[in-house]
Amino acid sequence: MSPPPPSPAENTFDDGCATNVDTVQSWLTFLRESQLRDLLIPLRPGGKNPIHAHKAGQWTRENAISYPDWDRGDKGIGLLLTDLFVLDIDDVGLFDHYRELWAPHLDECALQKTKNGYHCIWKRNKRLDEANITDKARGVVVDGKSIDLDIKTVTASLVKDATGVAHYTSAVLVISSPFGNNDSNGKPKKQWIRDPRDPNVGLKEFP
C-alpha cells in the first residue's frame, strides 16, 4: 500500500508554509545547515523551467537569497540538484512494487507525493559518484527494460565559466508549484509525506 496522504494544507502551497517567502526561507535554512550545495531557483510562471540562466555558476546561493520576487505566487520554486539524489516514480503502482522490492529504503527516505507518483529523495554518496550516476530520464533498467522512473541529480554535462573553470550542470526538481497546489481538477500537485526539513525525518544518504 502507498503511504497515506498528508493532511490537507491550510494554505495554497505544497509544504505547509503560508507564503512562497516562508517556503524559500525554510529551504535556505535547511540547505545551509545541512551543508548542501543545491540551490533554490524561481521557475517560469506556469512551468518547470528556471526563470534565470544557471549553468557554469551563473546562479548562486547569494542570488537565491537576494532574489526580490519570491512572493509572486505565479512562480514555482525549483532546486538545482548537486548533492541531492532523487528517484522520480511517475506511477503509484510502480512505487508500491519497488517499495516492497527495495524495503525498507522507500519507507525511510524523504518523500514527496506528486500528481502521478512520488519523489524519493536522498543525499548523494561516494558510491553514486564513483559509478558516475547522473541525471537521466528512464534511468533505471531492469531485466533489459527501462522502467517508468527518472533519476534527478547532477548531470553529466560540464560547462566552463568565464574563468575557464568547468562546472557540472544541475537538473531541476520542482518542489513548489505555481498558482497554488491544486490542478484544474482540484487534485493536489505536490505534498510532503516525509519532509527532509523536519528534524524527525532528515535527509538520509542513498543506500
Side-chain angles (χ1 to χ4, degrees):
M1 294 292 291
S2 297
S7 299
E10 294 181 357
N11 51 68
T12 60
F13 296 95
D14 70 311
D15 63 354
C17 290
T19 68
N20 262 4
V21 173
D22 291 338
T23 298
V24 168
Q25 289 303 320
S26 69
W27 273 101
L28 287 173
T29 299
F30 170 73
L31 294 171
R32 182 185 69 250
E33 293 180 349
S34 302
Q35 298 183 337
L36 298 170
R37 294 173 292 171
D38 311 78
L39 300 174
L40 288 181
I41 192 166
L43 306 178
R44 295 187 184 280
K48 297 182 178 181
N49 296 321
I51 204 166
H52 292 283
H54 60 87
K55 294 181 180 180
Q58 295 178 81
W59 182 262
T60 65
R61 190 176 307 277
E62 288 70 30
N63 293 137
I65 292 170
S66 62
Y67 182 69
D69 290 331
W70 284 118
D71 58 341
R72 294 269 307 274
D74 59 343
K75 293 184 179 70
I77 301 171
L79 269 177
L80 297 174
L81 302 177
T82 299
D83 291 326
L84 295 180
F85 181 81
V86 181
L87 294 182
D88 182 4
I89 306 177
D90 271 338
D91 182 275
V92 171
L94 189 66
F95 174 85
D96 288 339
H97 172 72
Y98 283 100
R99 184 186 182 196
E100 181 177 347
L101 188 64
W102 293 341
H105 304 305
L106 297 189
D107 285 323
E108 296 177 345
C109 65
L111 189 68
Q112 186 185 45
K113 180 72 179 69
T114 65
K115 182 178 178 180
N116 297 313
Y118 294 91
H119 287 153
C120 309
I121 304 170
W122 296 269
K123 185 177 181 180
R124 285 185 66 93
N125 59 19
K126 186 177 181 180
R127 187 161 57 91
L128 291 173
D129 293 337
E130 291 175 344
N132 196 30
I133 303 299
T134 56
D135 184 79
K136 188 174 183 180
R138 304 299 183 265
V140 176
V141 177
V142 177
D143 295 330
K145 181 180 179 181
S146 295
I147 61 176
D148 194 13
L149 188 159
D150 296 340
I151 294 173
K152 294 182 181 294
T153 187
V154 68
T155 76
S157 300
L158 278 170
V159 179
K160 291 184 178 180
D161 63 21
T163 67
V165 176
H167 301 260
Y168 283 103
T169 57
S170 297
V172 178
L173 179 71
V174 180
I175 56 172
S176 183
S177 303
F179 297 117
N181 190 41
N182 293 332
D183 62 19
S184 58
N185 297 316
K187 185 176 181 180
K189 296 175 184 176
K190 291 179 175 64
Q191 289 180 292
W192 286 105
I193 306 296
R194 292 188 294 272
D195 190 330
R197 293 166 294 175
D198 182 345
N200 295 318
V201 175
L203 185 66
K204 296 175 174 59
E205 274 198 359
F206 185 75

